[in-house]
Each structure stands twice: as structure tokens, then as C-alpha cells.
Amino acid sequence: MTTNLLVLGIESSCDETGVALVEARGPGVPRLCAHALHSQIEMHQAYGGVVPELASRDHIRRVLPLTQKVLDESGRALTEVDVVAYTRGPGLAGALLVGAGVACALGAALGKPVLGVHHLEGHLLSPFLSLDPPQFPFVALLVSGGHTQLMRVDGVGRYELLGESIDDAAGEAFDKSAKLMGLGYPGGPALSRLAEQGHAAAFKLPRPLLHSGNLDFSFAGLKTAVMVQAKKLGDQLEARKADLAASTEAAIVEVLVKKSLAALKQTGLRRLVVAGGVGANRSLRLQLNAACAAVGVRVHYPELHLCTDNGAMIALAAAMRLQAGQQTASEVYAFDVKPRWPLDSLSRNS
Ligand code: KG4
Ligand code: ZN
């Protein structure tokens, strides 16, 4: 593909409405023209977690104003858009349907093709929008709210699952531990902030599957250990919260770092890409950087503001798929969503 492509991307899989315009000029790394985001965190906070029906309704309210904002900021007209991309899955069914429906309606109105994108592929490719984009092949550590996976990535759509969480994801471990400590939702950033004032060695918490000999993860037991520790502390929990937060973060980070290094060793690859919301964690970044530098491995992250859900990664993934030769069926506006959708199944289908 050598032509220029302007891709509008819409993300609505969970509690963030994201819209972005990405431009691909020939085969070069696509460029972000503008992106806009509305986080529903405040709305869901009262309930301690995401309420799916409220999420869907809010996506409906936000998506078109955000689209207009992105067009205004980039100085582009809707009619200039060549392809409309949306998150097809995984995620909340109702929330996904909003993005899919709006994308198809826009595509039909403009007479332009639409492309459904895998949310995790968006996360995984998001470091390509950074100032220091990676090159294939690499090992990817995908750490989002719902997924913890290690992947071998040989190119766009060429994903081999090396290991994943057999129960809770790392993001869930952060969120659930934070909830136990009364830190609200989403707990990851709050727990991480509190951890900076505590001692990581204060409590001995398990490092699940650290020596399992494979690349799988398990974080459910860690959450239970945090709960037991919190109960034991009783009245003293408040005073020791920062220490418990630091110990919890240290346990999660150690497992993620060691398993990532094991994946690099197993594949023989010299490049690591970290993506997904937990990739914003400061301690994880510091420790991964140090561990990888020690063995001569380059680590790539998305820009901090593109770690969590956003429309830019969806537009980017679509643009990179089109650059890699993916065809879009024009004037086919029947859509479906895939609330459950394994990322490595893309390698089998595409
Ligand atoms: O990728 P993401 O935005 O959404 C999903 O696709 O799930 O990830 C959200 C997850 C939540 O579990 C959130 O607590 C976690 O990322 N998170 C963090 C940090 N920022 C976001 N966890 C630890 N430290 C952070 N700084
Ligand atoms: Zn995500």
C-alpha cells in the first residue's frame, strides 16, 4: 500500500470513550493527528466498579461530540476520512455495540469502509505512536485490566501466545487489592501512588507461579493473601496501608518482570514491548528498564497517556493492518462484536 490513508478510530469497549484520527503516509509508521477521550471513571466510582448499562449509555452521549472535537483539532473534514475503525472486542457487549454501530453508520453515510479492531492488538501496537517506536519481532507484555499475557509478535497479525494469567489479571490484582484497602476504583493508580510512601518488604506476600517453569501467571492467590493480611491488621490497617500497598505492588511487579525476562530468554528476542493500563505503573517501568538493561534488551512503552484505553490505538491498529494488506469490504455495514476474543486467534484467521 503506497497511498495515504486517514483512519478514524473509535474505542468503546469499557469505561472510556476514545476517538482519534491517524494518518498513514505510504508504508511509514502512521502518525497521530488528534485524539480525544472521555473517561467514565467518576460516574462508576459511586458503584465501586464499571456498571455496563451506564457505560453503554454514556458512550452514546460522548462519541459524536468527541468525533467533532478530533476533526476540529486536526483541521480535517469528516469527508476526508478513508476508513472508520472501531473496537470489535473483547469488552462489554453493550459498550462495544455503541462504537460498532456509530462506526458503521458513519461509514455508510460517507460511503467508506469500516474495520473492526481487536482491543488488545490496539494496546500491543500502541508503542508505534511513541517517539521511539519498536521494530518487529518482539516480546509483548500485555497488562490491561482484564488480561495479562506474554506474546511473541512477528508482525501485524502474527501473534503467538507464550503465556497468560490462569485467573485474575495483574490489573485486577491491583484493582481488587486496592478495593480491599478502601482505595476506590480503579485501584491501580491509587495503590501505586500510596505504595510510594511504603516499604515493599514490610509484608511477605506470595509470588504466584514465579517458579512454575512456564510463562503463565496467577494473581488470585495474591489478592487472597492481601485480604488475609488486611484482616490480620484490623485496626492497624489504616496506619500500615502504605506498607501493604508497597508490598502488593512489589509482588505483582516482580512476577511481571521475571516472567518477561523468561519469555525473552525462551524466544531469544532482544526487544520487549509493554502495553496496557498497568504499563503506566512507575515501579514496573523502573524495574523492567533495569532488568532489561542488564541483559541488553530494549524496552518500548506507549506514551504514558496512551497506556490506558484510547481511540488512537484503535485507529493505529487499523492503519497498520491496512498497510499490511488487509482488505476492507466496502459497503458492508453489517456489524458484530466479540465480547470474548483471544488475540492469538488473529494469527489463525488473517
Ligand atoms: O488497558 P486498560 O486501560 O483497560 C483494559 O483494557 O482493561 O487497563 C486498566 C487497568 C486497571 O486495572 C488499572 O487499575 C490499571 O490498568 N492501571 C494501573 C496503573 N494505571 C492503570 N495499575 C497500576 N499502576 C498504574 N499506574
Ligand atoms: Zn484496554
Side-chain angles (χ1 to χ4, degrees):
M1 194 211 71
T2 51
T3 50
N4 295 350
L5 261 186
L6 192 61
V7 181
L8 179 74
I10 299 174
E11 154 65 30
S12 71
S13 67
C14 190
D15 56 353
E16 254 115 21
T17 322
V19 180
L21 264 182
V22 159
E23 185 169 40
R25 287 176 179 268
V29 177
R31 180 184 75 86
L32 180 61
C33 305
H35 85 113
L37 191 75
H38 176 79
S39 170
Q40 303 177 352
I41 284 177
E42 241 173 72
M43 182 179 76
H44 295 296
Q45 239 155 13
Y47 306 92
V50 179
V51 183
E53 182 58 27
L54 292 182
S56 313
R57 292 178 193 202
D58 203 57
H59 286 308
I60 294 174
R61 274 193 290 274
R62 309 289 175 183
V63 68
L64 288 178
L66 288 175
T67 304
Q68 191 57 54
K69 191 169 172 217
V70 162
L71 292 168
D72 291 346
E73 272 175 23
S74 59
R76 312 296 286 256
L78 194 55
T79 47
E80 289 179 67
V81 169
D82 296 302
V83 176
V84 185
Y86 65 94
T87 305
R88 189 177 173 205
L92 302 170
L96 289 167
L97 280 167
V98 175
V102 168
C104 285
L106 284 175
L110 296 167
K112 299 287 170 62
V114 294
L115 190 60
V117 169
H118 197 294
H119 179 83
L120 293 178
E121 183 172 45
H123 275 304
L124 191 143
L125 297 175
S126 60
F128 281 92
L129 287 176
S130 71
L131 291 174
D132 177 29
Q135 282 170 1
F136 299 115
F138 53 76
V139 169
L141 172 67
L142 267 176
V143 271
S144 68
H147 295 83
T148 299
Q149 298 184 327
L150 279 162
M151 291 267 169
R152 181 193 165 103
V153 180
D154 284 292
V156 176
R158 295 169 61 198
Y159 312 127
E160 182 195 340
L161 183 67
L162 302 170
E164 66 182 331
S165 179
I166 58 173
D167 42 52
D168 288 356
E172 263 173 303
F174 269 109
D175 293 341
K176 289 179 177 173
S177 302
K179 203 168 181 178
L180 287 169
M181 296 179 216
L183 298 178
Y185 149 88
L191 189 146
S192 165
R193 268 194 305 277
L194 184 63
E196 287 185 18
Q197 299 153 33
H199 296 290
F203 296 100
K204 218 168 162 254
L205 295 172
R207 270 67 171 154
L209 297 192
L210 191 59
H211 304 292
S212 62
N214 63 21
L215 297 173
D216 285 337
F217 302 87
S218 164
F219 290 105
L222 174 62
K223 169 202 64 194
T224 308
V226 173
M227 189 168 69
V228 169
Q229 196 54 253
K231 278 204 178 131
K232 240 194 237 171
L233 284 168
D235 292 348
Q236 287 173 21
L237 175 61
E238 204 50 44
R240 304 290 313 277
K241 232 186 214 174
D243 283 344
L244 188 55
S247 303
T248 305
E249 182 178 66
I252 298 171
V253 167
E254 184 180 339
V255 175
L256 293 175
V257 171
K258 294 226 163 115
K259 293 270 175 173
S260 299
L261 285 186
L264 288 158
K265 197 167 173 202
Q266 181 180 308
T267 55
L269 296 176
R270 320 291 305 154
R271 219 176 263 279
L272 179 70
V273 159
V274 184
V278 180
N281 185 271
R282 198 167 160 264
S283 169
L284 177 65
R285 286 186 176 220
L286 286 173
Q287 295 196 39
L288 267 181
N289 288 349
C292 287
V295 292
V297 165
R298 292 276 312 273
V299 197
H300 299 262
Y301 303 92
E303 301 287 322
L304 214 48
H305 68 286
L306 297 182
C307 270
T308 44
D309 293 348
N310 62 82
M313 68 186 198
I314 301 306
L316 170 79
M320 290 182 74
R321 281 203 156 254
L322 294 164
Q323 285 178 315
Q326 170 145 349
Q327 301 297 312
T328 51
S330 53
E331 291 176 32
V332 177
Y333 300 113
F335 59 88
D336 66 346
V337 294
K338 291 179 163 237
R340 288 175 183 277
W341 191 9
L343 179 58
D344 57 327
S345 70
L346 295 183
S347 302
R348 300 192 283 273
N349 301 337
S350 56

